Amino acid sequence: VTAAEVRFDLTNDCLVKDWFGECAVSVLYGDSNCGKSFFALDLAYHVAAGHCWFGNRVKAGDALYVAAEGGRGFSKRIAAIRARKFGLDAAGRQNLSLLPLQIDLHGAADSSAIIDLAGPGQYSMVVVDTLAISIGGGSENDSRDMGMFISNIMRLKAYFNCHILIVHHTGKDRSKGARGHSSLRAALDTEIELKADGLVRVASVTKQ
């Protein structure tokens, strides 16, 4: 593409206004049992339903939730979100798909399998929960292994032209943010830290 062919566009295409871009990659991280999966599932459900998320406008689209740690308990979470946020409204139920399987994005085979599930552009959002399980035999701390994981994430993003949210964990030193090699944070458009404060969960954007 020559410079003459590059389009100058000031529009900001958001999947969720002020939070998530349409074709972008984000990480949601926090301590174990702080509510990361519930947070991510709630977000995916709102995208599937096209309903505002905490007052922020949402662009409706199909969402795929990869529950790599297994689907145990997700049916209850989906029912709770539907009852609390949507009542009898059936919006989004047909547009949110759950893949309760351990996947390996350290190699190319499983990203190809996910691509084979659907056509280009079918999903507006894909959630990968969690990085630790989805990196397979790779190490979060190894630059090459993390690079292969990121490459497969980018491949999925390009194929679906979607937003990919990766659920991740805090490192041993909380002041250093999400654990693992720094190349992950460098590749992100958005990073969000989730903390538990009593019964309240607080989400803070740490990179945008």
Side-chain angles (χ1 to χ4, degrees):
V1 179
T2 67
E5 295 172 299
V6 175
R7 293 180 57 195
F8 180 63
D9 190 354
L10 285 174
T11 60
N12 185 11
D13 296 326
C14 291
L15 181 66
V16 180
K17 185 173 174 59
D18 294 333
W19 282 82
F20 302 99
E22 281 191 274
C23 187
V25 178
S26 63
V27 157
L28 169 70
Y29 76 94
D31 292 337
S32 296
N33 301 315
C34 72
K36 299 185 296 295
S37 294
F38 223 135
F39 180 100
L41 186 61
D42 179 74
L43 172 63
Y45 203 118
H46 280 74
V47 169
H51 283 207
C52 286
W53 183 71
F54 292 103
N56 299 287
R57 189 174 69 249
V58 171
K59 185 173 182 179
D62 287 5
L64 173 66
Y65 198 105
V66 181
E69 294 184 345
R72 182 171 175 264
F74 271 86
S75 60
K76 294 179 181 179
R77 293 176 183 181
I78 290 172
I81 291 169
R82 186 169 67 240
R84 178 65 180 87
K85 300 286 186 72
F86 299 94
L88 297 177
D89 189 349
R93 294 171 65 181
Q94 298 300 319
N95 302 328
L96 174 61
S97 297
L98 182 68
L99 182 63
L101 296 173
Q102 182 174 343
I103 61 170
D104 182 358
L105 295 180
H106 179 250
D110 283 5
S111 60
S112 296
I114 292 173
I115 285 172
D116 289 342
L117 287 173
Q122 175 167 331
Y123 295 116
S124 295
M125 183 175 200
V126 175
V127 179
V128 177
D129 184 1
T130 60
L131 186 153
I133 297 296
S134 301
I135 202 169
S139 168
E140 298 174 7
N141 298 309
D142 184 88
S143 61
R144 185 175 182 273
D145 290 346
M146 185 63 81
M148 293 174 70
F149 176 86
I150 293 169
S151 178
N152 282 308
I153 288 292
M154 295 302 182
R155 182 186 178 203
L156 292 173
K157 184 190 77 165
Y159 180 77
F160 292 121
N161 191 34
C162 72
H163 185 100
I164 296 190
L165 171 64
I166 304 164
V167 179
H168 196 22
H169 294 89
T170 305
K172 291 181 179 180
D173 185 349
R174 293 183 181 180
S175 65
K176 294 183 179 180
R179 72 190 190 195
H181 197 270
S182 60
S183 58
L184 175 65
R185 191 173 195 271
L188 300 178
D189 299 286
T190 302
E191 183 186 64
I192 298 171
E193 182 180 18
L194 190 66
K195 290 183 177 180
D197 183 6
L199 295 178
V200 177
R201 302 295 185 267
V202 180
S204 304
V205 176
T206 53
K207 178 182 178 182
Q208 186 71 286

